[in-house]
Amino acid sequence: AMPEDRDRDNDRDGRDHDRDRDRDHDRERERDRERDRERDRERDRERDRERDRERDRDNHSGDESSLKRRADGEPSEEIKRQRTEEDTAASIALSMLRPGAFAPAVQGLLDSCYATGICNKGELDERVMEALRSLKEMDGCAALAEFMRSDMSRVRNKSAYLSGVISRVKDERSRAAGGFAA
C-alpha cells in the first residue's frame, strides 16, 4: 500500500477512536444523569410519604372508612387527590428547572422516538440533545415531529440530521418573527 493510503487509514482510525471515546463519555454522562434523576424521584417519593403521614395526623376526621384506610397504610382519597395535583405541578416545575431535563411534551416525543425504533437511547450525541433542550417547547416538538416523519433508512448520522432539522426550525421561527429570534 502507498504511504498516503496508510496515512489516510491511520487518520480514519484515529477519528473512529475519538468518536467511540466521545460516544462512551456521552453514555456515561447519560447514565450518571439517570442515576441522579432516580435518586431525585426516590427522595420525592419519600417526601410524599412523609407529607401523607403528616396530613393523616393533621386531618384525622374520625370517620370509620378513613380510619380503616389509615390503619391499612393507604392515604385518604383527599390526600391522594392533593398528592396528584402537587405531583403534577412539581413534575412540570422540576422538568423546567432541573438541568438536562426536557419539557414534558418534548420528552414524550423523544420517548416515542426510542419506543418506535427511530433512534436508540444514547444514539443522539450530547450536542444535539443540548440544542434540543435549548429550544422552546413548541419548537422542540416541531423539530422532533419532523425528525420522526423522516425516512431514516438513508440517514447515517442521526445526530447530525436532527441538528439540521433543529436549525431549520430555528430559521423558520426567525423568519416568521421578522428576522428576530422567536
Side-chain angles (χ1 to χ4, degrees):
M2 301 290 288
E4 305 87 38
D5 292 338
R6 279 194 303 263
D7 290 343
R8 187 175 43 244
D9 289 344
N10 287 339
D11 287 345
R12 186 178 304 126
D13 289 344
R15 285 190 308 269
D16 289 346
H17 173 74
D18 291 345
R19 186 182 62 241
D20 291 344
R21 186 191 65 230
D22 290 344
R23 187 177 298 137
D24 290 343
H25 286 267
D26 288 343
R27 287 182 183 138
E28 187 175 327
R29 282 192 299 270
E30 185 57 35
R31 280 192 299 270
D32 289 344
R33 280 193 294 274
E34 184 55 37
R35 275 194 300 273
D36 290 344
R37 286 190 291 265
E38 182 55 37
R39 190 174 49 244
D40 290 344
R41 285 190 292 265
E42 181 56 36
R43 187 186 65 234
D44 291 343
R45 285 190 291 269
E46 181 55 38
R47 185 194 70 230
D48 290 343
R49 286 189 291 269
E50 181 59 31
R51 185 180 60 204
D52 291 345
R53 286 189 292 270
E54 288 175 16
R55 281 191 189 136
D56 280 343
R57 283 190 299 269
D58 294 343
N59 296 330
H60 180 60
S61 65
D63 77 40
E64 198 170 307
S65 63
S66 67
L67 286 174
K68 183 176 187 319
R69 280 194 296 270
R70 289 188 182 109
D72 291 344
E74 279 292 314
S76 66
E77 292 304 314
E78 174 66 15
I79 288 175
K80 287 180 184 179
R81 185 188 60 70
Q82 288 174 346
R83 183 193 303 169
T84 301
E85 290 171 358
E86 290 171 3
D87 286 350
T88 301
S91 171
I92 292 169
L94 278 176
S95 72
M96 301 309 272
L97 295 174
R98 186 186 307 135
F102 291 99
V106 174
Q107 184 64 57
L109 285 174
L110 198 53
D111 291 343
S112 294
C113 283
Y114 300 145
T116 58
I118 291 171
C119 63
N120 298 315
K121 285 190 176 187
E123 189 173 7
L124 299 173
D125 66 36
E126 191 56 35
R127 284 179 305 228
V128 76
M129 297 300 266
E130 280 302 316
L132 194 56
R133 281 185 198 96
S134 72
L135 296 175
K136 293 180 180 178
E137 185 172 25
M138 181 176 67
D139 294 343
C141 288
L144 282 175
E146 182 178 333
F147 179 73
M148 293 172 72
R149 285 192 302 267
S150 303
D151 177 14
M152 291 292 147
S153 64
R154 295 186 179 272
V155 175
R156 290 192 309 180
N157 185 337
K158 293 178 183 177
S159 290
Y161 185 81
L162 180 55
S163 182
V165 171
I166 290 170
S167 294
R168 282 193 300 278
V169 167
K170 284 181 178 179
D171 289 345
E172 289 170 7
R173 294 289 185 236
S174 179
R175 279 194 302 275
F180 299 104

